[in-house]
Amino acid sequence: MAAATLFYVVALAGAVAVVVRVARLRRSPNRPAARAYIALLAALTLTFAVMATPTQAWINQRVLDGGKLLGNVSTLVAAYAVVALHSYTRWPAEQAWPRLRWRLALLLAACGTLVVTFALPHPVPLTGSFDGLYALDPSLAVYTTAYALFLGLALADHVRLSLAFARAAPRFLRAGLRLLAVAGVGGLLYAASKLAIVVHRLATGATHQPGNDAGVCHGAFSSLGCTVAVGGPGLVGLLAVAGVLAWAASARLENLAHWTSILRTYRRLEPLWQAVTAAVPEARGDRATAAELAEPRELTWRLARRYVEIRDGLLLLSRYRTHHPQPGKSTAAAEARAIQAAIEAKQTGRPGRDGAASLAVPSGQLAVDTDTAWLEQVAAAYTRLPRRPPETPEGTAP
């Protein structure tokens, strides 16, 4: 009963957090990350509410083991949402979405597999754990395998991203990320144990289950099997909540929104900076270290330096430009294509028309705020351009 009470308290806190975050969504400076955060909190709220044994008993009176399906699906959504939150916090949206697109497709495939295999007719009643039923009903083995594989993949991504992000993060955020990484390792062990149980049951034909003879766990830690099936996910979830709370403390105490905004801008310029300074290496400076990125003042200086290096590189590339949009009439996409063409012309040694501006600003002014905002738009558009293989000068081998 104590475990159920704890689960309900956490679920209630999560529900309150969801309401607060939804109310603040319009004012969020990073809406994709805010939406991922809301999805994570909502999924964790549902997961904890369903994990409580009274909730499971109530659902089972209406749909046998329906609580298991609901809890498993919400767990997979939470695993995807935490990776999305990482991605949209660290990278601008145009760089984060390509990283998430295939993960979302895998999530939908995994959830679809769970729903279909759960809805199939089963030769045995579905009550409690499936661990003793795999040898009797292979569709349940498919169900658990799909669940454990996606959960393991998402948690491996989460652990990798957490540890990488923690190396260049302020103190409270670093602590939260490490807690989340520990929770992810626990989740990986849980997913691995589920796969091991499936393999063992199918190989040996064993039908014993955790809990009592009906496979029902009356306590989260009443047996080793119940710890794997119920208690383990609960502990992982509690660690995840602690990590999220540390993340929230960072938002309050370390001005997290401002720091991550600068970091995303710095990374938004990365593809354009790399392309321009690779074409004209004399414009490139040294790359920032993880320690420098973790310090807001140092990161701000690095961002200003990156703007200058891009501007210098575009000035050096100006003689290779063949497209000269008029100030006030250019779009970010047109400028990005013009820069790409100038880089290709530089690589092949074909000069453009002399006197071209290095980068046209729509307003026709080079005020700092206007220019930097415009350069960010161009950098985002450049990131979305299809990458073409470099051409070689005529008469030379590729």
Side-chain angles (χ1 to χ4, degrees):
M1 189 61 186
T5 301
L6 180 60
F7 290 164
Y8 282 135
V9 169
V10 174
L12 178 61
V16 172
V18 169
V19 172
V20 171
R21 291 294 169 182
V22 170
R24 296 178 178 177
L25 181 59
R26 288 187 176 183
R27 302 195 302 273
S28 173
N30 185 7
R31 289 192 183 182
R35 286 192 287 267
Y37 194 18
I38 291 170
L40 172 61
L41 290 171
L44 288 175
T45 297
L46 182 59
T47 300
F48 275 100
V50 171
M51 282 170 56
T53 48
T55 304
Q56 292 185 26
W58 181 82
I59 295 175
N60 286 341
Q61 292 175 358
R62 291 152 180 82
V63 179
L64 285 180
D65 232 11
K68 183 179 184 66
L69 174 65
L70 188 58
N72 288 163
V73 170
S74 63
T75 300
L76 295 188
V77 172
Y80 170 80
V82 76
V83 174
L85 179 58
H86 273 299
S87 301
Y88 282 120
T89 301
R90 293 183 65 189
W91 293 289
E94 69 275 3
Q95 295 179 28
W97 173 239
R99 303 168 189 265
L100 294 169
R101 188 163 42 207
W102 67 271
R103 292 176 174 88
L104 179 59
L106 289 178
L107 171 66
L108 295 176
C111 290
T113 301
L114 264 59
V115 172
V116 170
T117 52
F118 183 87
L120 290 174
H122 301 285
V124 289
L126 304 183
T127 55
S129 172
F130 293 167
D131 289 356
L133 306 178
Y134 301 133
L136 303 173
D137 188 350
S139 67
L140 297 180
V142 175
Y143 175 103
T144 303
T145 300
Y147 168 75
L149 284 177
F150 180 83
L151 183 63
L153 177 64
L155 290 176
D157 272 348
H158 157 68
V159 171
R160 177 179 59 82
L161 291 171
S162 293
L163 295 178
F165 199 6
R167 288 197 296 269
R171 182 179 57 176
F172 284 98
L173 179 59
R174 184 163 59 248
L177 289 167
R178 288 173 177 170
L179 280 172
L180 288 170
V182 172
V185 171
L188 277 171
L189 293 175
Y190 165 75
S193 70
K194 297 300 290 182
L195 288 173
I197 290 172
V198 171
V199 172
H200 175 267
R201 298 296 193 272
L202 291 177
T204 64
T207 59
H208 59 277
Q209 305 184 67
N212 60 21
D213 293 337
V216 177
C217 291
H218 293 290
F221 304 99
S222 58
S223 69
L224 179 60
C226 289
T227 299
V228 172
V230 180
L235 289 177
V236 169
L238 290 176
L239 281 171
V241 169
V244 170
L245 290 176
W247 197 313
S250 177
R252 292 289 182 183
L253 302 176
E254 297 171 332
N255 200 3
L256 181 61
H258 176 67
W259 177 75
T260 54
S261 176
I262 299 174
L263 182 63
R264 284 191 303 275
T265 300
Y266 183 82
R267 286 178 169 156
R268 170 167 281 139
L269 297 176
E270 179 90 9
L272 181 60
W273 175 80
Q274 284 186 336
V276 169
T277 57
V280 282
E282 56 269 36
R284 181 190 289 249
D286 59 317
R287 186 183 294 270
T289 65
E292 290 170 334
L293 294 180
E295 173 55 47
R297 290 184 179 179
E298 185 69 25
L299 179 58
T300 301
W301 181 84
R302 283 285 179 175
L303 177 60
R305 180 172 174 174
R306 177 154 288 186
Y307 279 123
V308 171
E309 289 174 358
I310 292 174
R311 265 294 180 188
D312 287 346
L314 292 174
L315 184 61
L316 293 172
L317 284 171
S318 61
R319 64 184 296 266
Y320 296 97
R321 288 179 62 115
T322 57
H323 175 59
H324 315 295
Q326 296 180 2
K329 297 183 180 181
S330 178
T331 65
E335 282 294 340
R337 289 192 295 270
I339 293 170
Q340 186 182 61
I343 292 172
E344 292 173 353
K346 169 69 164 57
Q347 292 170 340
T348 57
R350 297 194 307 265
R353 288 177 284 181
D354 292 336
S358 61
L359 187 70
V361 179
S363 64
Q365 301 174 353
L366 286 181
V368 173
D369 291 343
T370 302
D371 185 38
T372 54
W374 173 241
L375 187 55
E376 287 180 42
Q377 295 177 41
V378 174
Y382 187 87
T383 301
R384 298 187 184 99
L385 288 177
R387 293 293 177 258
R388 293 179 292 197
E391 299 179 16
T392 56
E394 293 183 7
T396 63

